[in-house]
Amino acid sequence: MRRLLAFLFFSAGLLQAAPQPNMVFIMIDDLGWADVGFHGGNAPTPNLDKLAAESLELTQHYVAPVCSPTRTGLMSGRYWSRFGITSPHSGQAMPFDTVTLPSALKSVGYETCLTGKWHLGSKPAWGPNHFGFDHSYGSLGGGVGPYDHRYKEGEYTHTWHRNGELITEEGHVTDLVAKEAVQWIGKRSDKPFFLYVPFTAVHLPVKEPEAWVAKVPAAITGDVPRHYAACIMHMDDAVGQIIAALEKAGKRDNTLLVFTSDNGGSTSENNDRKYPDDNYPTGKITASNAPLRGIKGDLYEGGIRVPTLANWPGTLKAGKFESPAIISDWMPTLCAIAGYEPATDLKWDGISLWPALKDGSELPERLLYLTGPGFRGSAVREGPWKLIVTQAKGQPQSAGPAQLFNLAQDPNETTDLAGKEADKVQHLRTKLAKVAKADKDAQVKK
């Protein structure tokens, strides 16, 4: 017994003495399921392919169907709909007193940095520095033109900033975002850090340097397809630079790196007329979500299930993590790893993935809830079953036409079983009504 007690005390001491890991969270914008080489993409992604081979891949990782909601879920640990955020959002997304992921980590000794796209408040007064980031740089608004760094015409078109001060710079947006990350890593001391890198790539409008377009495989033809492939390759190189910076700083082995996308790939017109004219190639974006059904904006798998990797050398084993997870899980997960314990109930909808990621076990079965743009559609997933409901105007979210899919048997959602599984549809409608009601109960003034 004495030996056992001595071992337990010794083990507890090791856990307490273990250094807090650094955390790098990379989020790509509009990256399709099959846009990466490790999912059969036609644009070479050697850095990501190497990372994937060394990582734990979350094969059923869900996000919102569009950008701002996903970012809200990551920053809060809650479903984005709790804040009324279901569409791209230029106003203030979260109340100032929200305990965010960076503010929680900062409270337990982390240095925090965002370099890239915020899109949770497009004025400096609503920027990242007001929500827990020590340092912030990039686009306060949404995806920007790669050279002029401007968002859509209107009140929020001038959005490029450093620590809340609007600035003007030259250079391609992918290079600038990566450079800021690399330089910030190089300046770190022994304190743990959280670095959030939400690239604007591969969001439209794409327009790549000729040097990158020239590297695109000859089999890819057409102006927009070649620029889109070049954008993917350019992004892949930027991710490689960040990994190299961690290695150079001697911080790679004690860094958890997460790679994901904010939603599925898009097929929208690249030369969007809402953006200031910068001679963008004309044609539709050629993202691929194959073999998944749907695109950005959809509640089908192609809109909400994205390539996701978790990498921590010597700590996480490479392989596949098959349990369904959602973007709102990352705040509880990273907080658990960092040793942050909330002083009050933060009403997280997400759970900590860490025990399961670490030992390779499955997560307990639970309900996942996803809302589409403007609450016009909602989905719930429980076990292999997924219900999508299109909201009827003036009716509750759970009352519209429904589609039902068994993802274990039909992962690409080819067969709607709603007509054959009436009891399952009703069961999930009831679950949807309950979780959707919590949205209204959770609404807070900003």
Side-chain angles (χ1 to χ4, degrees):
M1 177 62 71
R2 288 181 179 178
R3 288 183 179 180
L4 176 59
L5 288 173
F7 174 76
L8 291 175
F9 279 120
F10 175 72
S11 299
L14 285 179
L15 287 173
Q16 291 174 357
Q20 293 167 305
N22 307 307
M23 301 172 181
V24 176
F25 199 102
I26 298 175
M27 181 179 288
I28 310 305
D29 202 344
D30 291 7
L31 184 70
W33 179 261
D35 280 343
V36 289
F38 62 90
H39 283 174
N42 60 3
T45 53
N47 293 292
L48 289 174
D49 294 352
K50 182 176 184 296
L51 183 66
E54 299 168 350
S55 297
L56 186 62
E57 179 179 0
L58 283 69
T59 61
Q60 299 189 73
H61 182 266
Y62 290 97
V63 294
V66 288
C67 48
S68 297
T70 291
R71 295 157 207 272
T72 303
L74 172 64
M75 288 293 111
S76 69
R78 307 186 69 189
Y79 292 135
W80 46 92
S81 50
R82 306 305 195 211
F83 298 88
I85 305 299
T86 62
S87 301
H89 192 77
S90 290
Q92 182 183 344
M94 299 175 292
F96 285 121
D97 62 356
T98 304
V99 178
T100 63
L101 173 56
S103 66
L105 295 178
K106 189 174 178 178
S107 74
V108 291
Y110 276 71
E111 297 178 316
T112 57
C113 173
L114 179 153
T115 170
K117 170 182 166 179
W118 173 237
H119 213 181
L120 295 175
S122 300
K123 289 183 177 181
W126 307 326
N129 297 83
H130 299 284
F131 291 91
F133 285 102
D134 297 317
H135 181 81
S136 67
Y137 168 82
S139 170
L140 290 168
V144 295
Y147 292 101
D148 65 10
H149 316 143
R150 289 177 61 185
Y151 186 51
K152 298 175 181 179
E153 293 280 18
E155 182 180 1
Y156 305 109
T157 188
H158 295 288
T159 184
W160 200 251
H161 81 108
R162 178 176 277 109
N163 292 321
E165 180 181 349
L166 296 179
I167 59 175
T168 300
E169 287 187 307
E170 292 185 358
H172 192 282
V173 63
T174 299
D175 295 327
L176 293 176
V177 169
K179 179 181 178 182
E180 191 82 3
V182 167
Q183 290 181 342
W184 195 80
I185 291 170
K187 295 176 181 177
R188 304 283 51 83
S189 62
D190 292 332
K191 292 186 67 175
F193 63 79
F194 171 63
L195 172 62
Y196 175 38
V197 190
F199 281 97
T200 64
V202 292
H203 193 288
L204 63 82
V206 296
K207 183 180 181 182
E208 288 294 309
E210 185 53 42
W212 278 107
V213 177
K215 295 178 182 180
V216 173
I220 300 175
T221 60
D223 208 6
V224 171
R226 289 187 63 78
H227 275 270
Y228 186 73
C231 190
I232 292 171
M233 296 163 62
H234 195 174
M235 173 273 294
D236 175 80
D237 180 78
V239 172
Q241 290 180 44
I242 294 170
I243 294 172
L246 291 169
E247 293 171 346
K248 182 179 179 180
K251 298 183 181 298
R252 183 73 179 93
D253 289 344
N254 194 38
T255 297
L256 168 62
L257 187 152
V258 179
F259 173 92
T260 192
S261 176
D262 65 345
N263 47 250
S266 169
T267 56
S268 296
E269 168 59 46
N270 181 58
N271 195 0
D272 189 325
R273 301 303 178 184
K274 295 178 182 178
Y275 280 85
D277 184 27
D278 200 13
N279 195 30
Y280 297 117
T282 298
K284 290 187 176 297
I285 294 291
T286 51
S288 174
N289 299 309
L292 304 178
R293 178 179 180 178
I295 58 174
K296 174 182 178 178
D298 289 345
L299 287 166
Y300 296 120
E301 297 288 282
I304 57 176
R305 187 171 148 203
V306 294
T308 303
L309 307 172
N311 180 277
W312 186 351
T315 299
L316 284 179
K317 293 182 180 180
K320 306 288 187 183
F321 183 77
E322 306 285 357
S323 292
I326 195 165
I327 191 69
S328 304
D329 292 332
W330 285 109
M331 182 172 179
T333 301
L334 300 184
C335 284
I337 294 170
Y340 170 82
E341 296 182 3
T344 60
D345 182 6
L346 300 183
K347 302 185 185 301
W348 283 335
D349 295 299
I351 63 172
S352 174
L353 305 172
W354 185 240
L357 294 179
K358 184 78 165 59
D359 64 22
S361 61
E362 293 185 359
L363 294 173
E365 186 173 294
R366 57 181 170 146
L367 189 80
L368 297 182
Y369 168 53
L370 303 102
T371 47
F375 287 101
R376 292 189 299 273
S378 302
V380 287
R381 176 172 176 178
E382 186 177 56
W385 294 99
K386 177 181 173 186
L387 183 78
I388 302 176
V389 176
T390 303
Q391 183 181 7
K393 189 173 181 179
Q395 293 184 352
Q397 283 173 248
S398 60
Q403 293 176 286
L404 180 71
F405 302 98
N406 185 323
L407 296 179
Q409 300 174 359
D410 181 23
N412 303 326
E413 299 170 303
T414 61
T415 304
D416 178 8
L417 300 175
K420 296 181 179 180
E421 297 281 352
D423 289 346
K424 180 62 67 174
V425 169
Q426 187 55 49
H427 168 76
L428 291 176
R429 278 192 191 273
T430 301
K431 291 288 187 78
L432 173 57
K434 183 176 180 179
V435 72
K437 180 180 181 300
D439 285 342
K440 292 183 179 180
D441 296 341
Q443 290 300 310
V444 286
K445 294 182 180 180
K446 303 181 181 69

